[in-house]
Amino acid sequence: MSVLNEQAVPIADDALPTPGGGEKKHRPRHVKGTRPGWIVYACLAAVLVGSLFPFYWSLLIGSGDSYTIRDPNMSWIPGGNFFANAAKVMNDPAVNFWVALWNSIVSSGLIALSVVFFSTLAGWAFAKLKFKGSSWLLVFVIATMAVPTQLGVVPLYILFSEMGWTGQLGAIIVPALVSAFGVFWMTQYLRQAVPDELIEAARVDGASSFRTFLTVGLPAARPAAAMLALFTFVSAWNNFFWPFIVLDRQNPTLPVALSLLQSNYFIDYSIVLAGVLLATIPLLILFVFAGKQLVSGIMQGAVKG
């Protein structure tokens, strides 16, 4: 006996059988507005052109001669003098290019590693460890970012002068070992990236606070730490003000060394911009090799979050 009061189940159109037998194949449906339009691509192209134009302009002037920048009929095709101009920069005894390059690599690398480690450690404490006055202490750390760097130049110089560190690389590394912005950045990230249940499970297994940080906190903080390391390295690489004050011409960093190219009465901008391009090439190489790791780390953190 058939049951007449069964509820009718709606059947989708895609699931209806075709006259020739079998079921109709599902067709992908494109939702309107899910793909960017030509306006988005046009804006991105404009930003890309605007970002690459300074590099092309530096290459254009750096591959010419001393009269290229003053030529009203200047060609927009790079010339053939770039390698000759770059050789002049690297072989100039007043610039100490190779010493400056090594100093920039060592100082920027050490500063980036130190800022990432100490910022992650402090961010872990502020985000996951409960102690009295943590909120006010974090506010104090953030408030230090409002203090201009120029206010500490004179006391720092007097301190390092009494210690005998003026002219040495440690004078620009030690003041930058910790970053208030890095502490704030890692605190905000670790608050959302690490569940409290993982910390409780590690403590149940007998792990100490520092062991929990090494096994739970550091792996979870990798996406934010990679971005912080990259930005810190670039900032330390481009830093000019404090190294210009505390270092001398025999032991400079790249920005300080390149400034010596403009100390003459006649400034050859083809030489200057060739040196600028030489100082930019290591950063471009860093972005090429670290770009995939940075994006993959961010995507991994987004999926896990």
Side-chain angles (χ1 to χ4, degrees), residues 39-230:
I39 298 180
V40 176
Y41 287 110
C43 294
L44 292 176
V47 172
L48 179 62
V49 171
S51 301
L52 293 179
F53 181 76
F55 296 101
Y56 184 76
W57 176 261
S58 299
L59 177 61
L60 192 66
I61 303 301
S63 60
D65 52 26
S66 58
Y67 298 100
T68 302
I69 196 172
R70 301 177 179 87
D71 188 3
N73 300 320
M74 180 181 62
S75 175
W76 287 91
I77 299 177
N81 296 330
F82 176 76
F83 293 102
N85 294 334
K88 292 180 181 179
V89 174
M90 291 184 290
N91 297 327
D92 192 343
V95 175
N96 290 325
F97 178 82
W98 297 110
V99 175
L101 178 63
W102 174 252
N103 289 341
S104 293
I105 293 175
V106 172
S107 61
S108 300
L110 291 178
I111 290 173
L113 291 176
S114 175
V115 166
V116 168
F117 178 74
F118 288 115
S119 297
T120 307
L121 190 62
W124 176 262
F126 284 124
K128 295 301 175 181
L129 300 183
K130 308 298 181 182
F131 58 94
K132 188 175 181 180
S134 60
S135 300
W136 289 104
L137 185 58
L138 180 60
V139 170
F140 174 77
V141 171
I142 297 174
T144 59
M145 292 190 294
V147 180
T149 307
Q150 290 78 3
L151 291 181
V153 168
V154 175
L156 274 178
Y157 186 83
I158 295 175
L159 175 63
F160 287 119
S161 178
E162 293 178 353
M163 295 173 59
W165 282 23
T166 54
Q168 299 183 12
L169 206 59
I172 65 173
I173 296 176
V174 173
L177 291 179
V178 183
S179 169
F181 171 76
V183 174
F184 172 73
W185 173 270
M186 298 307 300
T187 300
Q188 295 301 109
Y189 182 83
L190 289 172
R191 279 179 178 174
Q192 301 178 359
V194 181
D196 294 334
E197 290 78 10
L198 287 178
I199 302 176
E200 295 175 359
R203 290 175 178 173
V204 170
D205 291 339
S208 61
S209 297
F210 189 70
R211 180 66 181 274
T212 304
F213 166 73
L214 292 178
T215 56
V216 178
L218 278 181
R222 187 176 62 177
M227 185 172 294
L228 178 62
L230 186 61

